[in-house]
Amino acid sequence: MAFQKTLSILKPDATRRNITGKINAKIEASNLRIIAQKRLHLSIAQAQAFYAVHAERAFFGELCQFMTSGPVVVQVLEGEEAVAGYRDIMGATNPTNAAEGTIRSEFAESIEANSVHGSDSVENAVKEISFFFSELEIVG
Ligand code: ADP
Ligand code: MG
């Protein structure tokens, strides 16, 4: 077991429907603690930079449009095995495939508007956290 940090984003479909508190309640009901959080409205350039790994994917343009369609809430979550643990409670990318009780199963609107982002590895978590947060803003 390893104590880890991961980056979470509550996506524009979640802020639009005013359900960020409901999602945070599910996060806090797991073994994860929200140790940094802020609300941002991403620019297209910021969304493209954050999702650069997906630049060749067919959905990249639409994904960047969606992620800039409204405010997001970016967060740092901390806990034992936080990276995989958050992926578990998020559920599968496509909500149709997301296990019952997961955030995406309960809240996602579609494969694109799927309410949350979570880092997919410890290495990417470090990069993604530093994309949005300075050390001063992370209070464990
Ligand atoms: P995850 O967020 O589960 O790690 P990916 O990293 O594969 O999933 O994709 C990043 C985001 O791109 C997804 O969360 C979703 O918002 C969007 N996305 C993924 N696949 C598709 C698709 N086939 N069509 C539209 N949007 C997609
Ligand atoms: Mg991903």
Short mmCIF file of all heavy atoms in Angstrom, two decimals, residues 60-104:
data_model
loop_
_atom_site.label_atom_id
_atom_site.label_comp_id
_atom_site.label_asym_id
_atom_site.label_seq_id
_atom_site.Cartn_x
_atom_site.Cartn_y
_atom_site.Cartn_z
N PHE A 60 -10.84 14.52 -29.73
CA PHE A 60 -10.05 15.56 -29.05
C PHE A 60 -10.68 16.95 -29.14
O PHE A 60 -10.80 17.66 -28.13
CB PHE A 60 -8.63 15.57 -29.62
CG PHE A 60 -7.72 16.59 -28.99
CD1 PHE A 60 -7.31 16.45 -27.67
CD2 PHE A 60 -7.27 17.69 -29.71
CE1 PHE A 60 -6.47 17.38 -27.08
CE2 PHE A 60 -6.42 18.62 -29.13
CZ PHE A 60 -6.02 18.47 -27.82
N GLY A 61 -11.10 17.34 -30.34
CA GLY A 61 -11.67 18.68 -30.52
C GLY A 61 -12.92 18.88 -29.70
O GLY A 61 -13.08 19.87 -28.98
N GLU A 62 -13.80 17.88 -29.77
CA GLU A 62 -15.06 17.96 -29.00
C GLU A 62 -14.79 17.92 -27.51
O GLU A 62 -15.46 18.61 -26.73
CB GLU A 62 -15.98 16.79 -29.37
CG GLU A 62 -16.73 17.04 -30.65
CD GLU A 62 -17.81 16.00 -30.92
OE1 GLU A 62 -18.11 15.21 -30.01
OE2 GLU A 62 -18.31 15.98 -32.05
N LEU A 63 -13.82 17.11 -27.09
CA LEU A 63 -13.48 17.03 -25.67
C LEU A 63 -13.02 18.40 -25.16
O LEU A 63 -13.45 18.85 -24.08
CB LEU A 63 -12.40 15.96 -25.46
CG LEU A 63 -11.82 15.85 -24.05
CD1 LEU A 63 -12.89 15.47 -23.03
CD2 LEU A 63 -10.68 14.81 -24.02
N CYS A 64 -12.16 19.07 -25.93
CA CYS A 64 -11.67 20.38 -25.51
C CYS A 64 -12.80 21.41 -25.50
O CYS A 64 -12.87 22.26 -24.60
CB CYS A 64 -10.50 20.82 -26.38
SG CYS A 64 -9.05 19.77 -26.15
N GLN A 65 -13.72 21.33 -26.47
CA GLN A 65 -14.90 22.21 -26.46
C GLN A 65 -15.72 21.97 -25.19
O GLN A 65 -16.13 22.91 -24.51
CB GLN A 65 -15.79 21.94 -27.68
CG GLN A 65 -15.23 22.43 -29.00
CD GLN A 65 -15.11 23.95 -29.06
OE1 GLN A 65 -15.88 24.67 -28.42
NE2 GLN A 65 -14.14 24.44 -29.79
N PHE A 66 -15.98 20.70 -24.92
CA PHE A 66 -16.78 20.35 -23.74
C PHE A 66 -16.12 20.84 -22.45
O PHE A 66 -16.77 21.44 -21.59
CB PHE A 66 -17.00 18.83 -23.67
CG PHE A 66 -17.50 18.36 -22.34
CD1 PHE A 66 -18.73 18.78 -21.85
CD2 PHE A 66 -16.73 17.51 -21.56
CE1 PHE A 66 -19.18 18.37 -20.59
CE2 PHE A 66 -17.18 17.09 -20.32
CZ PHE A 66 -18.40 17.52 -19.83
N MET A 67 -14.81 20.62 -22.32
CA MET A 67 -14.12 20.96 -21.06
C MET A 67 -14.03 22.47 -20.84
O MET A 67 -13.75 22.92 -19.72
CB MET A 67 -12.72 20.33 -21.03
CG MET A 67 -12.74 18.82 -20.88
SD MET A 67 -13.53 18.22 -19.36
CE MET A 67 -12.33 18.73 -18.13
N THR A 68 -14.30 23.25 -21.91
CA THR A 68 -14.30 24.71 -21.79
C THR A 68 -15.72 25.28 -21.85
O THR A 68 -15.90 26.49 -21.90
CB THR A 68 -13.45 25.35 -22.90
OG1 THR A 68 -13.98 24.97 -24.17
CG2 THR A 68 -12.00 24.89 -22.82
N SER A 69 -16.72 24.40 -21.82
CA SER A 69 -18.12 24.85 -21.98
C SER A 69 -18.70 25.44 -20.71
O SER A 69 -19.80 25.99 -20.72
CB SER A 69 -18.98 23.68 -22.46
OG SER A 69 -19.08 22.68 -21.44
N GLY A 70 -17.98 25.32 -19.60
CA GLY A 70 -18.44 25.86 -18.33
C GLY A 70 -17.33 25.67 -17.31
O GLY A 70 -16.27 25.12 -17.63
N PRO A 71 -17.58 26.10 -16.06
CA PRO A 71 -16.56 25.96 -15.03
C PRO A 71 -16.27 24.49 -14.72
O PRO A 71 -17.12 23.62 -14.93
CB PRO A 71 -17.18 26.64 -13.81
CG PRO A 71 -18.36 27.38 -14.29
CD PRO A 71 -18.80 26.77 -15.57
N VAL A 72 -15.07 24.26 -14.23
CA VAL A 72 -14.70 22.96 -13.68
C VAL A 72 -14.23 23.19 -12.24
O VAL A 72 -13.94 24.32 -11.85
CB VAL A 72 -13.56 22.28 -14.49
CG1 VAL A 72 -14.02 21.97 -15.90
CG2 VAL A 72 -12.30 23.14 -14.49
N VAL A 73 -14.18 22.11 -11.46
CA VAL A 73 -13.57 22.16 -10.13
C VAL A 73 -12.39 21.19 -10.16
O VAL A 73 -12.59 20.00 -10.42
CB VAL A 73 -14.57 21.77 -9.03
CG1 VAL A 73 -13.87 21.75 -7.66
CG2 VAL A 73 -15.75 22.74 -9.00
N VAL A 74 -11.19 21.72 -9.98
CA VAL A 74 -10.00 20.87 -9.96
C VAL A 74 -9.63 20.61 -8.50
O VAL A 74 -9.76 21.49 -7.66
CB VAL A 74 -8.82 21.48 -10.75
CG1 VAL A 74 -9.17 21.55 -12.23
CG2 VAL A 74 -8.44 22.84 -10.23
N GLN A 75 -9.20 19.39 -8.26
CA GLN A 75 -8.97 18.96 -6.87
C GLN A 75 -7.73 18.08 -6.79
O GLN A 75 -7.41 17.37 -7.73
CB GLN A 75 -10.13 18.06 -6.39
CG GLN A 75 -11.50 18.64 -6.58
CD GLN A 75 -12.59 17.64 -6.21
OE1 GLN A 75 -12.57 16.49 -6.65
NE2 GLN A 75 -13.56 18.09 -5.44
N VAL A 76 -7.10 18.08 -5.63
CA VAL A 76 -6.10 17.06 -5.30
C VAL A 76 -6.72 16.18 -4.22
O VAL A 76 -7.23 16.69 -3.21
CB VAL A 76 -4.78 17.67 -4.79
CG1 VAL A 76 -3.79 16.55 -4.45
CG2 VAL A 76 -4.20 18.63 -5.81
N LEU A 77 -6.72 14.87 -4.47
CA LEU A 77 -7.22 13.89 -3.52
C LEU A 77 -6.04 13.11 -2.97
O LEU A 77 -5.10 12.80 -3.70
CB LEU A 77 -8.20 12.92 -4.20
CG LEU A 77 -9.30 13.53 -5.05
CD1 LEU A 77 -10.20 12.43 -5.62
CD2 LEU A 77 -10.12 14.54 -4.25
N GLU A 78 -6.12 12.78 -1.69
CA GLU A 78 -5.02 12.04 -1.05
C GLU A 78 -5.57 10.85 -0.29
O GLU A 78 -6.65 10.92 0.29
CB GLU A 78 -4.29 12.98 -0.08
CG GLU A 78 -3.07 12.36 0.59
CD GLU A 78 -2.35 13.38 1.47
OE1 GLU A 78 -2.92 13.82 2.48
OE2 GLU A 78 -1.22 13.74 1.11
N GLY A 79 -4.81 9.75 -0.29
CA GLY A 79 -5.20 8.57 0.49
C GLY A 79 -4.37 7.37 0.09
O GLY A 79 -3.53 7.45 -0.82
N GLU A 80 -4.59 6.24 0.77
CA GLU A 80 -3.92 4.99 0.41
C GLU A 80 -4.35 4.59 -1.00
O GLU A 80 -5.55 4.53 -1.28
CB GLU A 80 -4.30 3.88 1.40
CG GLU A 80 -3.62 3.96 2.75
CD GLU A 80 -2.11 3.74 2.69
OE1 GLU A 80 -1.62 3.17 1.69
OE2 GLU A 80 -1.44 4.16 3.65
N GLU A 81 -3.38 4.34 -1.87
CA GLU A 81 -3.66 3.91 -3.25
C GLU A 81 -4.66 4.86 -3.91
O GLU A 81 -5.60 4.43 -4.60
CB GLU A 81 -4.18 2.46 -3.28
CG GLU A 81 -3.21 1.45 -2.70
CD GLU A 81 -1.91 1.33 -3.48
OE1 GLU A 81 -1.93 1.45 -4.72
OE2 GLU A 81 -0.86 1.13 -2.84
N ALA A 82 -4.45 6.17 -3.73
CA ALA A 82 -5.43 7.16 -4.19
C ALA A 82 -5.67 7.11 -5.70
O ALA A 82 -6.79 7.32 -6.16
CB ALA A 82 -4.98 8.57 -3.78
N VAL A 83 -4.62 6.81 -6.48
CA VAL A 83 -4.78 6.86 -7.94
C VAL A 83 -5.76 5.78 -8.40
O VAL A 83 -6.79 6.08 -9.03
CB VAL A 83 -3.40 6.74 -8.64
CG1 VAL A 83 -3.58 6.60 -10.15
CG2 VAL A 83 -2.52 7.95 -8.31
N ALA A 84 -5.47 4.53 -8.06
CA ALA A 84 -6.36 3.43 -8.47
C ALA A 84 -7.69 3.50 -7.72
O ALA A 84 -8.75 3.18 -8.28
CB ALA A 84 -5.68 2.09 -8.23
N GLY A 85 -7.62 3.93 -6.46
CA GLY A 85 -8.84 4.00 -5.65
C GLY A 85 -9.85 4.99 -6.23
O GLY A 85 -11.06 4.71 -6.26
N TYR A 86 -9.36 6.13 -6.69
CA TYR A 86 -10.28 7.10 -7.28
C TYR A 86 -10.83 6.57 -8.60
O TYR A 86 -12.02 6.70 -8.89
CB TYR A 86 -9.62 8.47 -7.45
CG TYR A 86 -10.59 9.56 -7.86
CD1 TYR A 86 -11.84 9.68 -7.23
CD2 TYR A 86 -10.28 10.47 -8.86
CE1 TYR A 86 -12.74 10.67 -7.61
CE2 TYR A 86 -11.17 11.46 -9.24
CZ TYR A 86 -12.39 11.56 -8.60
OH TYR A 86 -13.29 12.55 -8.98
N ARG A 87 -9.96 5.94 -9.42
CA ARG A 87 -10.44 5.34 -10.68
C ARG A 87 -11.58 4.35 -10.37
O ARG A 87 -12.56 4.26 -11.11
CB ARG A 87 -9.31 4.63 -11.42
CG ARG A 87 -8.15 5.50 -11.86
CD ARG A 87 -8.44 6.42 -13.01
NE ARG A 87 -8.97 5.76 -14.18
CZ ARG A 87 -9.14 6.36 -15.37
NH1 ARG A 87 -8.81 7.65 -15.53
NH2 ARG A 87 -9.63 5.74 -16.39
N ASP A 88 -11.43 3.60 -9.29
CA ASP A 88 -12.47 2.62 -8.91
C ASP A 88 -13.80 3.30 -8.61
O ASP A 88 -14.85 2.85 -9.07
CB ASP A 88 -12.04 1.82 -7.67
CG ASP A 88 -11.08 0.71 -8.01
OD1 ASP A 88 -10.92 0.41 -9.21
OD2 ASP A 88 -10.49 0.16 -7.06
N ILE A 89 -13.77 4.37 -7.82
CA ILE A 89 -15.05 4.98 -7.46
C ILE A 89 -15.60 5.88 -8.58
O ILE A 89 -16.79 6.19 -8.61
CB ILE A 89 -15.04 5.72 -6.10
CG1 ILE A 89 -14.16 6.97 -6.12
CG2 ILE A 89 -14.65 4.78 -4.97
CD1 ILE A 89 -14.51 7.92 -4.96
N MET A 90 -14.72 6.27 -9.54
CA MET A 90 -15.21 7.01 -10.73
C MET A 90 -16.07 6.11 -11.61
O MET A 90 -17.08 6.53 -12.15
CB MET A 90 -14.03 7.49 -11.58
CG MET A 90 -13.28 8.68 -11.02
SD MET A 90 -11.67 8.88 -11.84
CE MET A 90 -12.14 9.04 -13.56
N GLY A 91 -15.59 4.88 -11.84
CA GLY A 91 -16.26 3.98 -12.77
C GLY A 91 -15.72 4.14 -14.18
O GLY A 91 -14.92 5.04 -14.47
N ALA A 92 -16.16 3.27 -15.08
CA ALA A 92 -15.64 3.24 -16.45
C ALA A 92 -15.95 4.54 -17.20
O ALA A 92 -16.93 5.22 -16.91
CB ALA A 92 -16.25 2.05 -17.20
N THR A 93 -15.09 4.83 -18.19
CA THR A 93 -15.22 6.05 -19.00
C THR A 93 -16.63 6.18 -19.58
O THR A 93 -17.24 7.25 -19.52
CB THR A 93 -14.21 6.01 -20.17
OG1 THR A 93 -12.91 5.71 -19.64
CG2 THR A 93 -14.19 7.31 -20.93
N ASN A 94 -17.12 5.07 -20.16
CA ASN A 94 -18.49 5.06 -20.70
C ASN A 94 -19.46 4.68 -19.59
O ASN A 94 -19.40 3.57 -19.06
CB ASN A 94 -18.56 4.04 -21.84
CG ASN A 94 -19.90 4.08 -22.55
OD1 ASN A 94 -20.87 4.61 -22.00
ND2 ASN A 94 -19.96 3.53 -23.74
N PRO A 95 -20.35 5.60 -19.20
CA PRO A 95 -21.23 5.31 -18.05
C PRO A 95 -22.07 4.05 -18.23
O PRO A 95 -22.47 3.42 -17.24
CB PRO A 95 -22.10 6.56 -17.92
CG PRO A 95 -21.93 7.30 -19.20
CD PRO A 95 -20.60 6.92 -19.77
N THR A 96 -22.30 3.66 -19.48
CA THR A 96 -23.05 2.42 -19.74
C THR A 96 -22.31 1.21 -19.14
O THR A 96 -22.94 0.24 -18.75
CB THR A 96 -23.19 2.22 -21.26
OG1 THR A 96 -23.60 3.45 -21.83
CG2 THR A 96 -24.20 1.15 -21.59
N ASN A 97 -20.98 1.33 -19.10
CA ASN A 97 -20.16 0.22 -18.58
C ASN A 97 -19.74 0.43 -17.12
O ASN A 97 -19.02 -0.40 -16.57
CB ASN A 97 -18.89 0.06 -19.42
CG ASN A 97 -19.19 -0.15 -20.88
OD1 ASN A 97 -20.20 -0.75 -21.21
ND2 ASN A 97 -18.34 0.36 -21.75
N ALA A 98 -20.14 1.54 -16.52
CA ALA A 98 -19.67 1.86 -15.16
C ALA A 98 -20.42 1.03 -14.13
O ALA A 98 -21.64 0.89 -14.19
CB ALA A 98 -19.86 3.36 -14.89
N ALA A 99 -19.66 0.49 -13.18
CA ALA A 99 -20.26 -0.36 -12.14
C ALA A 99 -21.24 0.44 -11.29
O ALA A 99 -21.07 1.65 -11.08
CB ALA A 99 -19.15 -0.94 -11.27
N GLU A 100 -22.23 -0.27 -10.79
CA GLU A 100 -23.26 0.35 -9.95
C GLU A 100 -22.61 1.01 -8.73
O GLU A 100 -21.67 0.46 -8.16
CB GLU A 100 -24.23 -0.73 -9.48
CG GLU A 100 -25.59 -0.19 -9.10
CD GLU A 100 -26.55 -1.33 -8.71
OE1 GLU A 100 -26.49 -2.39 -9.36
OE2 GLU A 100 -27.29 -1.12 -7.75
N GLY A 101 -23.10 2.18 -8.38
CA GLY A 101 -22.58 2.88 -7.20
C GLY A 101 -21.41 3.80 -7.49
O GLY A 101 -21.02 4.59 -6.64
N THR A 102 -20.84 3.71 -8.70
CA THR A 102 -19.72 4.60 -9.05
C THR A 102 -20.26 5.99 -9.42
O THR A 102 -21.46 6.16 -9.72
CB THR A 102 -18.90 4.04 -10.21
OG1 THR A 102 -19.75 3.88 -11.36
CG2 THR A 102 -18.27 2.69 -9.85
N ILE A 103 -19.36 6.96 -9.39
CA ILE A 103 -19.76 8.34 -9.71
C ILE A 103 -20.33 8.42 -11.12
O ILE A 103 -21.39 9.02 -11.35
CB ILE A 103 -18.54 9.28 -9.56
CG1 ILE A 103 -18.12 9.37 -8.09
CG2 ILE A 103 -18.85 10.68 -10.12
CD1 ILE A 103 -16.76 10.04 -7.86
N ARG A 104 -19.63 7.80 -12.09
CA ARG A 104 -20.10 7.90 -13.47
C ARG A 104 -21.40 7.13 -13.67
O ARG A 104 -22.27 7.56 -14.46
CB ARG A 104 -19.00 7.42 -14.42
CG ARG A 104 -17.90 8.49 -14.58
CD ARG A 104 -16.69 7.94 -15.25
NE ARG A 104 -15.78 8.99 -15.72
CZ ARG A 104 -14.55 8.75 -16.18
NH1 ARG A 104 -14.08 7.51 -16.22
NH2 ARG A 104 -13.78 9.75 -16.58
#
